[in-house]
Structure formats: structure tokens, C-alpha cells
Amino acid sequence: MGATSAIGSAVMKHFIGWAFAAVLCTAAIGARAVETGSAQEGHTMAKQVCSKCHAVESGDAYSPNLLAPTFDEIAGTPGMTETALFAALRTSHKEMPNLILSSDEIANLSAYILSLKQ
């Protein structure tokens, strides 16, 4: 019974270590999520960079590339948050050019997109 208790204790310490690491990662992501960008700067960038494929203006019904969702559609996606946009814009998509955006640019684009939520 003593050996089983020691193993259980080691497993619990290992689990607590992983849980603590997960909490730190979550806190880091959460801290990043509260940094809000400029919707105005995001709108300017969207017109310059994103509008070749996406409808970036509120109320636009169709994107120039019909496979690209409008920014209104992206904003209206259930569960869409700055963190979700940050992850999406950091991940490559085969349908989308590989844009290399700074964290500030992503924050600005995210602020603009989220400003379109209705």
C-alpha cells in the first residue's frame, strides 16, 4: 500500500505541474487578449490588404473572392473573439495567402472586425 501511495503522490505532483503550466499558458493568452488594437487602423489596413479578397465594409453583401467570407460574416461567427482572430491570423490557410502580420497589426484588424459585431 505504501508503494502505491508513493506512485499516486508522484503522479499527482506531475499532474499539478502540468496543470500549473496550462494555467500559465492560459494566463499569457488571456493577457494578450486584453491588449486592444485600434479599429480605425485595422479598417485602414483591411482596405489596403484584405479588400482584394474580402468585403471589409459593414453591410457589404459579397466579397470580391466569393470563397472569402465578408468581415461582417467573420465578426458574426459564434464565439468570435480577439483571441480566436489572433489564432486564425497566425495560422496558414490554403485558401488564403500567407500573410505575415505583427501582433499590433493583428490586434488592429481584430479590433476592426469585432467592431462590426451586431
Side-chain angles (χ1 to χ4, degrees):
M1 190 99 161
T4 304
S5 179
I7 292 171
S9 178
V11 169
M12 184 57 78
K13 285 180 184 176
H14 185 72
F15 175 76
I16 290 171
W18 278 104
F20 182 69
V23 167
L24 287 178
C25 288
T26 303
I29 290 170
R32 168 66 193 93
V34 296
E35 295 175 22
T36 304
S38 162
Q40 183 177 3
E41 288 181 35
H43 183 227
T44 300
M45 183 177 172
K47 288 191 295 187
Q48 293 170 349
V49 177
C50 308
S51 65
K52 294 173 183 97
C53 297
H54 295 273
V56 300
E57 300 296 334
S58 180
D60 285 349
Y62 301 102
S63 292
N65 176 341
L66 295 179
L67 298 176
T70 68
F71 274 27
D72 280 338
E73 291 170 330
I74 295 169
T77 301
M80 187 56 64
T81 64
E82 184 179 7
T83 302
L85 286 166
F86 189 85
L89 292 168
R90 286 280 192 214
T91 306
S92 63
H93 299 82
K94 69 178 181 177
E95 302 87 16
M96 194 169 126
N98 255 348
L99 299 174
I100 299 175
L101 303 173
S102 71
S103 293
D104 287 341
E105 289 170 325
I106 291 174
N108 293 339
L109 274 175
S110 297
Y112 173 64
I113 292 170
L114 293 175
S115 76
L116 301 175
K117 279 189 179 240
Q118 296 189 20

